[in-house]
Amino acid sequence: MCGIVGYTGSKEAYPIIIKGLKRLEYRGYDSTGVALQNGRLKVYKKKGKVAELEDSLVGKNLHAHVGIGHTRWATHGEPNDRNAHPHSSASGKLAMIHNGIIENYAQLKQELIRKGYSFKSDTDTEVLLNFIEDIKTNNECSLEEAVRIALKRVVGAYVILLLDESMPDTIIAARKGSPLVIGIGKGEHFLGSDASPMLEYTKEVVYVNDYELAIIRPDELILKNLGNEKITPYVQKLDLELAAIEKGGYDHFMLKEIFEQPQTIYDCLRGRLDANAGTITMSGIQKYAEQIMNATRIIMVACGTSWHAGLVAEYIFEELCRINVEVEYASEFRYRNPVINPGDVIIAISQSGETADTLVAIETAKAKGAIILGVVNVVGSSIARVSHAGAYTHAGPEIGVASTKAFTAQLAVLTMIALKIAHDKGTISKERYMHLLNELNEVPEKVTRVLELSDHIKKLAEKYKDATDALYLGRGFNFPVALEGALKLKEISYIHAEGYPAAEMKHGPIALVDEKLPVIFVATKDSYHEKVVSNMQEIKARKGKLIAVITEGDDTTAAICNDVMAIPEADEVIAPILSAIPMQLLAYYIGVAKGYDVDKPRNLAKSVTVE
Ligand code: M6R
């Protein structure tokens, strides 16, 4: 994780870096720092968010045309001023920022200690920096050469940006496993963990690949591999507007993103789904359509909310396509030497496309011969690039740390893929296929109606905000929605919440139920409904507070609940896209009512690029 920014050109570097860091704070926000190059290297860093560093620097002379900045999500060493980046080398002549983890840092550190080095921080970054400086000094070589030599010994993941006092206009950058984008301006270059820091300056970007090293000056971008061979930078046009990464009048990104869902789902369906013609066109998977259709097994790999989308998809694929589906936590899948058989297809689901666990899991499966299909939001991200085929979710930048619009877009894409396979395989009747196409087509309009519940849910949030625990229950297609509801509440409000299959609740969690426990059911009208209502009765009998997402007009279920959130009727295959939204709003309003920073909840980061 961590966000990195760099600038070299004729403009003042500091304001560009600070603004860029604010946009990248979703990647980590426990400490911040900048290094400015103005004849001498100056480093300013501090525990806390970017705004706190900015406040502490008011009145200082920050004039410089070259600089780097970092917003941290701690891995090695607690969040404090010492461990904040940039780090300075022993001589004070180099400064470096780093996103990632150097796994063999302890060994490198011991080697350096034996040579007489001491360390000011607890970080792996300072070790790598001094390792580079040691190579530079001993070999009397350039910084570029020293970085190359050092990186051949490094185990782990990194994006590093370095400044060298003796090269006043140059930034040296390198990447393996963490994202790095270089923006190309007129006589200037921008660097970032994503393109957001450079949006108002340029639309021309280069995505740096693993094992590449860049030497960046105002008028020059040299890209090389670790073998010192030059690579021609592949310049791409950014299809992203500034407005997409601003709050647009909402109090929080999370609320903006929740309210964007009618549009994001529409964007996701647009050009793919034609309900009148009865077609689904997904050009990104066309080349592998045959293999996907004939897959003997589909394995969904993902983390967090994306894993929940995979769980919903398991129900949908098995129901519609009659293909065996397994849903795996990417982090577990990777480390248990998974069995991959010929004919297995992996669907990797990720908003950021940079989640390290997911990335490593699919690399493992790819090496074993599986076909990888990426369902990814961020265009050009690592997972998108390593996948054989894929479908973007087109939800636009998701900045709030809690995933919302990306989840519903993932569900929309996965549903379309399932419908396409089912249609091509003949495992769905024409009538049901057409019905589901029409249902999917109506989702954006129904989401607009769900969002009208916002004020009502805000009042519920006030009523339940002081709960210390909550239980989320659902069955079938709505079971993963219950898990997602619990995750949202935990992340945003710090209330302990558990998601469970509604029926499984009686095998243990029911012991938690008393008159203080809110139990949130996802109980829309579907083939499981009667059974879910029985589970609700079991909670009611034990005096739990019953809150439920129900289908509009279902007065019978409403009558047994303390509170309900009624959403438009939808086929059970489609319903999770709608039922997830009241969960998002409830978590959001409870988090706000408790006075928390819902866009940047404690200890979290948006893009988890460490394993
Ligand atoms: O970018 P990804 O979808 O791969 O991220 C996976 C999880 O880290 C992410 O969904 C996380 O659980 C969110 N904080 C959930 O709101």
Side-chain angles (χ1 to χ4, degrees), residues 302-307 349-355 358 383 401-404 410 484 487-488 491 604-608:
C303 305
T305 290
S306 299
W307 184 78
I349 309 164
S350 176
Q351 187 287 126
S352 62
E354 301 294 346
T355 300
T358 310
I383 293 174
V401 164
S403 191
T404 53
Q410 287 166 345
E484 175 60 7
L487 176 64
K488 288 287 88 85
E491 287 186 293
L604 286 168
K606 183 71 182 163
S607 181
V608 185

PDB file of all heavy atoms in Angstrom, residues 302-307 349-355 358 383 401-404 410 484 487-488 491 604-608, ligand 1:
ATOM      1  N   ALA A 302     -10.247 -13.747  -4.803  1.00  0.00           N
ATOM      2  CA  ALA A 302     -10.449 -12.331  -4.483  1.00  0.00           C
ATOM      3  C   ALA A 302     -10.255 -12.130  -2.988  1.00  0.00           C
ATOM      4  O   ALA A 302     -10.028 -13.093  -2.243  1.00  0.00           O
ATOM      5  CB  ALA A 302     -11.860 -11.906  -4.890  1.00  0.00           C
ATOM      6  N   CYS A 303     -10.348 -10.907  -2.558  1.00  0.00           N
ATOM      7  CA  CYS A 303     -10.258 -10.570  -1.129  1.00  0.00           C
ATOM      8  C   CYS A 303     -11.394  -9.612  -0.767  1.00  0.00           C
ATOM      9  O   CYS A 303     -11.875  -8.862  -1.625  1.00  0.00           O
ATOM     10  CB  CYS A 303      -8.950  -9.835  -0.833  1.00  0.00           C
ATOM     11  SG  CYS A 303      -7.494 -10.716  -1.361  1.00  0.00           S
ATOM     12  N   GLY A 304     -11.755  -9.633   0.492  1.00  0.00           N
ATOM     13  CA  GLY A 304     -12.686  -8.630   1.035  1.00  0.00           C
ATOM     14  C   GLY A 304     -14.005  -8.585   0.287  1.00  0.00           C
ATOM     15  O   GLY A 304     -14.632  -9.614  -0.002  1.00  0.00           O
ATOM     16  N   THR A 305     -14.419  -7.381  -0.028  1.00  0.00           N
ATOM     17  CA  THR A 305     -15.682  -7.183  -0.733  1.00  0.00           C
ATOM     18  C   THR A 305     -15.701  -7.914  -2.065  1.00  0.00           C
ATOM     19  O   THR A 305     -16.724  -8.481  -2.470  1.00  0.00           O
ATOM     20  CB  THR A 305     -15.897  -5.669  -0.937  1.00  0.00           C
ATOM     21  OG1 THR A 305     -16.169  -5.094   0.348  1.00  0.00           O
ATOM     22  CG2 THR A 305     -17.050  -5.372  -1.862  1.00  0.00           C
ATOM     23  N   SER A 306     -14.573  -7.921  -2.751  1.00  0.00           N
ATOM     24  CA  SER A 306     -14.521  -8.605  -4.045  1.00  0.00           C
ATOM     25  C   SER A 306     -14.742 -10.106  -3.864  1.00  0.00           C
ATOM     26  O   SER A 306     -15.328 -10.770  -4.723  1.00  0.00           O
ATOM     27  CB  SER A 306     -13.174  -8.348  -4.723  1.00  0.00           C
ATOM     28  OG  SER A 306     -13.017  -6.965  -4.949  1.00  0.00           O
ATOM     29  N   TRP A 307     -14.296 -10.618  -2.727  1.00  0.00           N
ATOM     30  CA  TRP A 307     -14.542 -12.037  -2.422  1.00  0.00           C
ATOM     31  C   TRP A 307     -16.050 -12.264  -2.234  1.00  0.00           C
ATOM     32  O   TRP A 307     -16.599 -13.274  -2.670  1.00  0.00           O
ATOM     33  CB  TRP A 307     -13.749 -12.409  -1.164  1.00  0.00           C
ATOM     34  CG  TRP A 307     -13.802 -13.845  -0.767  1.00  0.00           C
ATOM     35  CD1 TRP A 307     -13.098 -14.870  -1.324  1.00  0.00           C
ATOM     36  CD2 TRP A 307     -14.595 -14.417   0.280  1.00  0.00           C
ATOM     37  NE1 TRP A 307     -13.407 -16.044  -0.680  1.00  0.00           N
ATOM     38  CE2 TRP A 307     -14.317 -15.808   0.304  1.00  0.00           C
ATOM     39  CE3 TRP A 307     -15.509 -13.900   1.200  1.00  0.00           C
ATOM     40  CZ2 TRP A 307     -14.924 -16.667   1.213  1.00  0.00           C
ATOM     41  CZ3 TRP A 307     -16.107 -14.768   2.101  1.00  0.00           C
ATOM     42  CH2 TRP A 307     -15.815 -16.128   2.100  1.00  0.00           C
ATOM     43  N   ILE A 349     -11.226 -11.280  -9.100  1.00  0.00           N
ATOM     44  CA  ILE A 349     -12.103 -10.114  -8.946  1.00  0.00           C
ATOM     45  C   ILE A 349     -11.381  -9.094  -8.074  1.00  0.00           C
ATOM     46  O   ILE A 349     -10.928  -9.422  -6.970  1.00  0.00           O
ATOM     47  CB  ILE A 349     -13.440 -10.522  -8.280  1.00  0.00           C
ATOM     48  CG1 ILE A 349     -14.054 -11.722  -9.022  1.00  0.00           C
ATOM     49  CG2 ILE A 349     -14.419  -9.345  -8.273  1.00  0.00           C
ATOM     50  CD1 ILE A 349     -15.149 -12.418  -8.226  1.00  0.00           C
ATOM     51  N   SER A 350     -11.277  -7.881  -8.568  1.00  0.00           N
ATOM     52  CA  SER A 350     -10.571  -6.859  -7.784  1.00  0.00           C
ATOM     53  C   SER A 350     -10.967  -5.464  -8.242  1.00  0.00           C
ATOM     54  O   SER A 350     -10.983  -5.189  -9.446  1.00  0.00           O
ATOM     55  CB  SER A 350      -9.056  -7.040  -7.955  1.00  0.00           C
ATOM     56  OG  SER A 350      -8.369  -6.015  -7.298  1.00  0.00           O
ATOM     57  N   GLN A 351     -11.291  -4.614  -7.287  1.00  0.00           N
ATOM     58  CA  GLN A 351     -11.549  -3.221  -7.629  1.00  0.00           C
ATOM     59  C   GLN A 351     -10.273  -2.574  -8.118  1.00  0.00           C
ATOM     60  O   GLN A 351     -10.209  -2.054  -9.222  1.00  0.00           O
ATOM     61  CB  GLN A 351     -12.102  -2.482  -6.404  1.00  0.00           C
ATOM     62  CG  GLN A 351     -12.578  -1.062  -6.619  1.00  0.00           C
ATOM     63  CD  GLN A 351     -11.479  -0.054  -6.824  1.00  0.00           C
ATOM     64  OE1 GLN A 351     -11.486   0.692  -7.834  1.00  0.00           O
ATOM     65  NE2 GLN A 351     -10.510   0.019  -5.951  1.00  0.00           N
ATOM     66  N   SER A 352      -9.250  -2.614  -7.262  1.00  0.00           N
ATOM     67  CA  SER A 352      -8.010  -1.874  -7.546  1.00  0.00           C
ATOM     68  C   SER A 352      -7.189  -2.513  -8.646  1.00  0.00           C
ATOM     69  O   SER A 352      -6.443  -1.836  -9.354  1.00  0.00           O
ATOM     70  CB  SER A 352      -7.157  -1.807  -6.285  1.00  0.00           C
ATOM     71  OG  SER A 352      -6.804  -3.125  -5.882  1.00  0.00           O
ATOM     72  N   GLY A 353      -7.299  -3.841  -8.761  1.00  0.00           N
ATOM     73  CA  GLY A 353      -6.422  -4.559  -9.695  1.00  0.00           C
ATOM     74  C   GLY A 353      -4.991  -4.625  -9.201  1.00  0.00           C
ATOM     75  O   GLY A 353      -4.094  -5.038  -9.932  1.00  0.00           O
ATOM     76  N   GLU A 354      -4.759  -4.226  -7.956  1.00  0.00           N
ATOM     77  CA  GLU A 354      -3.400  -4.211  -7.417  1.00  0.00           C
ATOM     78  C   GLU A 354      -3.271  -5.042  -6.146  1.00  0.00           C
ATOM     79  O   GLU A 354      -2.196  -5.091  -5.563  1.00  0.00           O
ATOM     80  CB  GLU A 354      -2.949  -2.772  -7.104  1.00  0.00           C
ATOM     81  CG  GLU A 354      -2.951  -1.818  -8.280  1.00  0.00           C
ATOM     82  CD  GLU A 354      -1.930  -2.184  -9.363  1.00  0.00           C
ATOM     83  OE1 GLU A 354      -1.052  -3.017  -9.096  1.00  0.00           O
ATOM     84  OE2 GLU A 354      -2.047  -1.651 -10.476  1.00  0.00           O
ATOM     85  N   THR A 355      -4.346  -5.659  -5.686  1.00  0.00           N
ATOM     86  CA  THR A 355      -4.290  -6.398  -4.426  1.00  0.00           C
ATOM     87  C   THR A 355      -3.252  -7.519  -4.524  1.00  0.00           C
ATOM     88  O   THR A 355      -3.372  -8.425  -5.357  1.00  0.00           O
ATOM     89  CB  THR A 355      -5.695  -6.959  -4.102  1.00  0.00           C
ATOM     90  OG1 THR A 355      -6.570  -5.847  -4.003  1.00  0.00           O
ATOM     91  CG2 THR A 355      -5.699  -7.742  -2.808  1.00  0.00           C
ATOM     92  N   THR A 358      -4.308 -11.257  -4.393  1.00  0.00           N
ATOM     93  CA  THR A 358      -5.006 -11.713  -5.603  1.00  0.00           C
ATOM     94  C   THR A 358      -4.029 -11.844  -6.767  1.00  0.00           C
ATOM     95  O   THR A 358      -4.073 -12.811  -7.536  1.00  0.00           O
ATOM     96  CB  THR A 358      -6.150 -10.729  -5.944  1.00  0.00           C
ATOM     97  OG1 THR A 358      -6.921 -10.527  -4.768  1.00  0.00           O
ATOM     98  CG2 THR A 358      -7.047 -11.257  -7.034  1.00  0.00           C
ATOM     99  N   ILE A 383      -3.533  -6.537 -12.220  1.00  0.00           N
ATOM    100  CA  ILE A 383      -4.330  -7.761 -12.425  1.00  0.00           C
ATOM    101  C   ILE A 383      -4.930  -7.760 -13.828  1.00  0.00           C
ATOM    102  O   ILE A 383      -4.957  -8.787 -14.503  1.00  0.00           O
ATOM    103  CB  ILE A 383      -5.414  -7.909 -11.334  1.00  0.00           C
ATOM    104  CG1 ILE A 383      -4.722  -8.154  -9.985  1.00  0.00           C
ATOM    105  CG2 ILE A 383      -6.392  -9.033 -11.653  1.00  0.00           C
ATOM    106  CD1 ILE A 383      -5.626  -8.174  -8.773  1.00  0.00           C
ATOM    107  N   VAL A 401     -12.546   4.217   1.209  1.00  0.00           N
ATOM    108  CA  VAL A 401     -11.856   2.950   1.461  1.00  0.00           C
ATOM    109  C   VAL A 401     -12.837   1.771   1.446  1.00  0.00           C
ATOM    110  O   VAL A 401     -12.508   0.677   1.002  1.00  0.00           O
ATOM    111  CB  VAL A 401     -11.052   3.040   2.781  1.00  0.00           C
ATOM    112  CG1 VAL A 401     -10.640   1.674   3.279  1.00  0.00           C
ATOM    113  CG2 VAL A 401      -9.814   3.902   2.549  1.00  0.00           C
ATOM    114  N   ALA A 402     -14.049   2.016   1.910  1.00  0.00           N
ATOM    115  CA  ALA A 402     -15.045   0.947   1.873  1.00  0.00           C
ATOM    116  C   ALA A 402     -15.585   0.814   0.455  1.00  0.00           C
ATOM    117  O   ALA A 402     -16.053   1.782  -0.144  1.00  0.00           O
ATOM    118  CB  ALA A 402     -16.185   1.261   2.829  1.00  0.00           C
ATOM    119  N   SER A 403     -15.524  -0.372  -0.050  1.00  0.00           N
ATOM    120  CA  SER A 403     -15.961  -0.593  -1.430  1.00  0.00           C
ATOM    121  C   SER A 403     -17.488  -0.595  -1.507  1.00  0.00           C
ATOM    122  O   SER A 403     -18.150  -1.281  -0.726  1.00  0.00           O
ATOM    123  CB  SER A 403     -15.409  -1.933  -1.896  1.00  0.00           C
ATOM    124  OG  SER A 403     -15.579  -2.062  -3.268  1.00  0.00           O
ATOM    125  N   THR A 404     -18.035   0.162  -2.431  1.00  0.00           N
ATOM    126  CA  THR A 404     -19.494   0.219  -2.584  1.00  0.00           C
ATOM    127  C   THR A 404     -19.876   0.030  -4.050  1.00  0.00           C
ATOM    128  O   THR A 404     -20.334  -1.034  -4.451  1.00  0.00           O
ATOM    129  CB  THR A 404     -20.046   1.573  -2.066  1.00  0.00           C
ATOM    130  OG1 THR A 404     -19.333   2.649  -2.692  1.00  0.00           O
ATOM    131  CG2 THR A 404     -19.932   1.672  -0.559  1.00  0.00           C
ATOM    132  N   GLN A 410     -19.249  -5.158  -9.900  1.00  0.00           N
ATOM    133  CA  GLN A 410     -18.714  -6.521 -10.028  1.00  0.00           C
ATOM    134  C   GLN A 410     -19.864  -7.515 -10.203  1.00  0.00           C
ATOM    135  O   GLN A 410     -19.809  -8.411 -11.043  1.00  0.00           O
ATOM    136  CB  GLN A 410     -17.913  -6.893  -8.774  1.00  0.00           C
ATOM    137  CG  GLN A 410     -16.569  -6.193  -8.682  1.00  0.00           C
ATOM    138  CD  GLN A 410     -15.945  -6.295  -7.292  1.00  0.00           C
ATOM    139  OE1 GLN A 410     -16.606  -6.643  -6.311  1.00  0.00           O
ATOM    140  NE2 GLN A 410     -14.657  -5.976  -7.201  1.00  0.00           N
ATOM    141  N   GLU A 484     -21.299  -9.037   3.349  1.00  0.00           N
ATOM    142  CA  GLU A 484     -20.837  -7.719   2.900  1.00  0.00           C
ATOM    143  C   GLU A 484     -21.376  -6.619   3.822  1.00  0.00           C
ATOM    144  O   GLU A 484     -20.666  -5.666   4.154  1.00  0.00           O
ATOM    145  CB  GLU A 484     -21.279  -7.506   1.437  1.00  0.00           C
ATOM    146  CG  GLU A 484     -20.994  -6.145   0.839  1.00  0.00           C
ATOM    147  CD  GLU A 484     -19.525  -5.743   0.804  1.00  0.00           C
ATOM    148  OE1 GLU A 484     -18.666  -6.562   1.127  1.00  0.00           O
ATOM    149  OE2 GLU A 484     -19.258  -4.572   0.491  1.00  0.00           O
ATOM    150  N   LEU A 487     -19.262  -6.598   6.894  1.00  0.00           N
ATOM    151  CA  LEU A 487     -17.931  -6.027   6.628  1.00  0.00           C
ATOM    152  C   LEU A 487     -18.012  -4.499   6.559  1.00  0.00           C
ATOM    153  O   LEU A 487     -17.175  -3.790   7.136  1.00  0.00           O
ATOM    154  CB  LEU A 487     -17.360  -6.591   5.315  1.00  0.00           C
ATOM    155  CG  LEU A 487     -16.013  -6.010   4.871  1.00  0.00           C
ATOM    156  CD1 LEU A 487     -14.908  -6.334   5.874  1.00  0.00           C
ATOM    157  CD2 LEU A 487     -15.611  -6.535   3.498  1.00  0.00           C
ATOM    158  N   LYS A 488     -19.052  -3.996   5.893  1.00  0.00           N
ATOM    159  CA  LYS A 488     -19.196  -2.539   5.783  1.00  0.00           C
ATOM    160  C   LYS A 488     -19.326  -1.915   7.168  1.00  0.00           C
ATOM    161  O   LYS A 488     -18.691  -0.909   7.467  1.00  0.00           O
ATOM    162  CB  LYS A 488     -20.441  -2.148   4.951  1.00  0.00           C
ATOM    163  CG  LYS A 488     -20.379  -2.375   3.463  1.00  0.00           C
ATOM    164  CD  LYS A 488     -19.495  -1.423   2.695  1.00  0.00           C
ATOM    165  CE  LYS A 488     -18.072  -1.896   2.633  1.00  0.00           C
ATOM    166  NZ  LYS A 488     -17.715  -2.840   1.582  1.00  0.00           N
ATOM    167  N   GLU A 491     -15.961  -1.964   9.104  1.00  0.00           N
ATOM    168  CA  GLU A 491     -14.952  -1.051   8.565  1.00  0.00           C
ATOM    169  C   GLU A 491     -15.221   0.392   8.939  1.00  0.00           C
ATOM    170  O   GLU A 491     -14.303   1.151   9.234  1.00  0.00           O
ATOM    171  CB  GLU A 491     -14.973  -1.097   7.030  1.00  0.00           C
ATOM    172  CG  GLU A 491     -14.419  -2.321   6.414  1.00  0.00           C
ATOM    173  CD  GLU A 491     -14.365  -2.181   4.913  1.00  0.00           C
ATOM    174  OE1 GLU A 491     -15.431  -2.118   4.258  1.00  0.00           O
ATOM    175  OE2 GLU A 491     -13.269  -2.128   4.366  1.00  0.00           O
ATOM    176  N   LEU A 604      -6.901   0.933   7.921  1.00  0.00           N
ATOM    177  CA  LEU A 604      -7.163   0.371   6.596  1.00  0.00           C
ATOM    178  C   LEU A 604      -6.453   1.151   5.496  1.00  0.00           C
ATOM    179  O   LEU A 604      -5.908   2.228   5.723  1.00  0.00           O
ATOM    180  CB  LEU A 604      -8.664   0.384   6.312  1.00  0.00           C
ATOM    181  CG  LEU A 604      -9.490  -0.664   7.052  1.00  0.00           C
ATOM    182  CD1 LEU A 604     -10.969  -0.361   6.904  1.00  0.00           C
ATOM    183  CD2 LEU A 604      -9.182  -2.044   6.516  1.00  0.00           C
ATOM    184  N   ALA A 605      -6.467   0.594   4.322  1.00  0.00           N
ATOM    185  CA  ALA A 605      -6.018   1.295   3.126  1.00  0.00           C
ATOM    186  C   ALA A 605      -6.830   0.758   1.966  1.00  0.00           C
ATOM    187  O   ALA A 605      -7.332  -0.356   2.024  1.00  0.00           O
ATOM    188  CB  ALA A 605      -4.546   1.052   2.873  1.00  0.00           C
ATOM    189  N   LYS A 606      -6.958   1.561   0.958  1.00  0.00           N
ATOM    190  CA  LYS A 606      -7.808   1.169  -0.158  1.00  0.00           C
ATOM    191  C   LYS A 606      -7.203   0.034  -0.967  1.00  0.00           C
ATOM    192  O   LYS A 606      -7.883  -0.889  -1.377  1.00  0.00           O
ATOM    193  CB  LYS A 606      -8.019   2.392  -1.063  1.00  0.00           C
ATOM    194  CG  LYS A 606      -8.954   2.151  -2.225  1.00  0.00           C
ATOM    195  CD  LYS A 606     -10.368   2.017  -1.755  1.00  0.00           C
ATOM    196  CE  LYS A 606     -11.331   1.724  -2.887  1.00  0.00           C
ATOM    197  NZ  LYS A 606     -12.608   1.215  -2.364  1.00  0.00           N
ATOM    198  N   SER A 607      -5.929   0.153  -1.202  1.00  0.00           N
ATOM    199  CA  SER A 607      -5.303  -0.795  -2.111  1.00  0.00           C
ATOM    200  C   SER A 607      -4.260  -1.566  -1.304  1.00  0.00           C
ATOM    201  O   SER A 607      -3.298  -0.990  -0.813  1.00  0.00           O
ATOM    202  CB  SER A 607      -4.669   0.025  -3.228  1.00  0.00           C
ATOM    203  OG  SER A 607      -4.071  -0.805  -4.149  1.00  0.00           O
ATOM    204  N   VAL A 608      -4.496  -2.862  -1.139  1.00  0.00           N
ATOM    205  CA  VAL A 608      -3.646  -3.626  -0.218  1.00  0.00           C
ATOM    206  C   VAL A 608      -2.572  -4.351  -1.033  1.00  0.00           C
ATOM    207  O   VAL A 608      -2.771  -5.475  -1.486  1.00  0.00           O
ATOM    208  CB  VAL A 608      -4.499  -4.602   0.623  1.00  0.00           C
ATOM    209  CG1 VAL A 608      -3.642  -5.309   1.652  1.00  0.00           C
ATOM    210  CG2 VAL A 608      -5.617  -3.844   1.326  1.00  0.00           C
TER     211      VAL A 608
HETATM  212  O1  M6R B   1      -9.080  -3.824  -4.742  1.00  0.00           O
HETATM  213  P1  M6R B   1      -9.667  -5.128  -4.310  1.00  0.00           P
HETATM  214  O2  M6R B   1     -11.060  -5.314  -4.721  1.00  0.00           O
HETATM  215  O3  M6R B   1      -8.813  -6.301  -4.751  1.00  0.00           O
HETATM  216  O4  M6R B   1      -9.621  -5.090  -2.736  1.00  0.00           O
HETATM  217  C1  M6R B   1     -10.003  -6.180  -1.957  1.00  0.00           C
HETATM  218  C2  M6R B   1     -10.235  -5.769  -0.524  1.00  0.00           C
HETATM  219  O5  M6R B   1      -9.063  -5.239   0.027  1.00  0.00           O
HETATM  220  C3  M6R B   1     -11.359  -4.740  -0.386  1.00  0.00           C
HETATM  221  O6  M6R B   1     -12.543  -5.204  -0.946  1.00  0.00           O
HETATM  222  C4  M6R B   1     -11.574  -4.395   1.095  1.00  0.00           C
HETATM  223  O7  M6R B   1     -12.089  -5.489   1.768  1.00  0.00           O
HETATM  224  C5  M6R B   1     -12.491  -3.177   1.222  1.00  0.00           C
HETATM  225  N1  M6R B   1     -12.015  -2.359   2.295  1.00  0.00           N
HETATM  226  C6  M6R B   1     -13.890  -3.529   1.484  1.00  0.00           C
HETATM  227  O8  M6R B   1     -14.703  -2.421   1.689  1.00  0.00           O
END
